[in-house]
């Protein structure tokens, strides 16, 4: 791998993991627009580790409180808001895990069409636009969710297994439609990303252990650092941006990108 490839892939992963614009669509475009070969599984693992480290670092204070309260609830100490939020994050992760593990091979083989990605970008982008327009002001925070809300957001997250949907995009859309504020929807979506990225990264690590290829540790380390830095900045500025502007700029971007993919591959 050359250094330009390392930098581009790391920043693309760090940004698109959390913006509602679909990382799969962008990772499809990189080899289309460049002569680069596949970066390899070790580099993919490093990028996921960087993104995971970024979101854990950003929400470190919340995660400490949630973990302490959650452990306390297991010991019979009752549930406060932090313990309940921890349980909600775990519960909302179950649907995507069950569906992902059950249909993983079918998804990887049969749903990587750029045309499908383009349609998903446009279709789910329009739904995101409607949800954001409908929820322009106010709404509940992530601490005010109920069981029904969590189950519906968890089921929506499973739709992100369709390439082009965007995990953050579909969970934010569902949360907005359920009456959450923009910031609350985004924060809950980011918390949901922690177990999902950890599980996906774990599967990749298992695959990496089975491989016997050499690993470029310098490129892997730099990739993880760049992915982590770009992801952290993305989370920080995204939360500030949507509070003032909303989701519509991302909706327009999804429509343009989806239209371009359809024009390119139809």
């Amino acid at each position: 791998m050359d250094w330009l490839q390392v930098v581009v892939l790391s920043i693309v992963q760090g940004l698109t993991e959390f913006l509602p614009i679909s990382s799969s669509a962008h990772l499809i475009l990189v080899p289309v627009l460049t002569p680069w070969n596949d970066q390899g599984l070790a580099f993919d693992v490093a990028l996921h580790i960087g993104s995971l480290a970024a979101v854990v670092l950003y929400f470190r204070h919340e995660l400490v409180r949630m973990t302490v309260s959650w452990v306390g609830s297991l010991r019979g100490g009752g549930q406060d808001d932090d313990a309940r939020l921890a349980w909600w994050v775990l519960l909302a992760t179950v649907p995507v895990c069950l569906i992902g593990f059950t249909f993983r091979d079918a998804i990887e083989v049969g749903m990587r069409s750029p045309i499908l990605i383009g349609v998903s970008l446009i279709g789910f982008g329009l739904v995101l636009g409607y949800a954001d327009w409908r929820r322009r002001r106010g709404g509940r925070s992530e601490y005010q969710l109920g069981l029904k809300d969590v189950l519906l957001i968890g089921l929506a997250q499973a739709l992100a297994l369709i390439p082009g949907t965007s995990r953050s995009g579909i969970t934010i859309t569902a949360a907005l439609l359920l009456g959450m504020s923009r910031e609350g929807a985004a924060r809950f979506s980011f918390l949901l990303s922690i177990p999902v990225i950890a599980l996906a990264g774990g599967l990749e690590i298992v695959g990496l252990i089975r491989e016997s290829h050499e690993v470029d540790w310098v490129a892997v380390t730099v990739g993880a650092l760049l992915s982590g830095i770009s992801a952290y900045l993305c989370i920080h500025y995204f939360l500030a941006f949507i509070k003032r502007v909303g989701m519509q700029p991302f909706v327009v971007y999804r429509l343009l990108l989806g239209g371009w993919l359809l024009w390119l591959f139809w």
Side-chain angles (χ1 to χ4, degrees):
M1 293 177 63
D2 61 48
W3 285 110
L4 180 59
Q5 183 179 6
V6 170
V7 172
V8 170
L9 289 175
S10 301
I11 294 176
V12 167
Q13 166 64 25
L15 295 179
T16 60
E17 184 69 46
F18 298 107
L19 293 180
I21 56 177
S22 176
S23 59
S24 60
H26 289 78
L27 294 177
I28 280 274
L29 285 175
V30 170
V32 168
L33 299 175
T34 68
W36 296 331
N37 296 322
D38 183 83
Q39 62 270 19
L41 185 57
F43 194 73
D44 286 341
V45 170
L47 298 187
H48 277 93
I49 290 173
S51 298
L52 178 61
V55 69
V56 169
L57 180 63
Y58 190 88
F59 290 101
R60 61 192 181 279
H61 301 301
E62 291 90 339
L63 290 172
V64 169
R65 293 198 305 269
M66 289 165 61
T67 302
V68 171
S69 295
W70 180 74
V71 172
S73 72
L74 290 177
R75 294 175 176 174
Q79 287 190 17
D80 58 12
D81 288 343
D82 288 310
R84 191 174 298 106
L85 182 59
W87 280 113
W88 288 161
V89 169
L90 293 174
L91 181 60
T93 306
V94 172
V96 71
C97 290
L98 291 177
I99 296 173
F101 284 128
T102 303
F103 299 103
R104 182 184 178 194
D105 292 337
I107 292 168
E108 289 182 351
V109 173
M111 301 183 70
R112 293 295 177 184
S113 163
I115 294 177
L116 175 61
I117 292 175
V119 171
S120 297
L121 279 167
I122 294 171
F124 288 110
L126 290 172
V127 180
L128 173 61
Y130 169 74
D132 183 63
W133 172 80
R134 187 169 172 264
R135 176 56 55 188
R136 284 175 287 186
R137 293 176 185 162
R140 294 177 291 161
S141 74
E142 66 271 27
Y143 289 98
Q144 297 172 304
L145 290 168
L147 177 60
K148 180 181 176 182
D149 302 319
V150 172
L151 291 175
L152 290 172
I153 294 172
L155 290 171
Q157 182 171 228
L159 291 174
L161 294 168
I162 302 172
T165 302
S166 170
R167 192 209 60 81
S168 62
I170 195 64
T171 50
I172 290 172
T173 298
L176 290 172
L177 290 173
L178 290 168
M180 292 187 70
S181 67
R182 288 167 173 167
E183 190 175 11
R187 288 174 64 87
F188 189 63
S189 173
F190 293 154
L191 289 172
L192 285 180
S193 75
I194 295 173
V196 171
I197 296 174
L199 290 169
L203 287 175
E204 289 183 338
I205 289 173
V206 171
L208 181 61
I209 292 172
R210 293 174 179 172
E211 289 189 349
S212 58
H213 301 298
E214 293 185 2
V215 176
D216 184 346
W217 289 107
V218 176
V220 162
T221 303
V222 172
L225 287 172
L226 289 177
S227 175
I229 292 169
S230 57
Y232 187 94
L233 293 174
C234 172
I235 295 170
H236 176 75
Y237 288 107
F238 177 74
L239 289 172
F241 181 84
I242 61 171
K243 199 171 183 179
R244 299 193 312 270
V245 180
M247 303 290 178
Q248 300 306 322
F250 302 104
V251 173
V252 173
Y253 180 82
R254 287 181 65 113
L255 297 180
L256 293 174
L257 180 59
W260 187 44
L261 281 174
L262 293 179
W263 176 78
L264 205 60
F265 291 100
W266 198 279

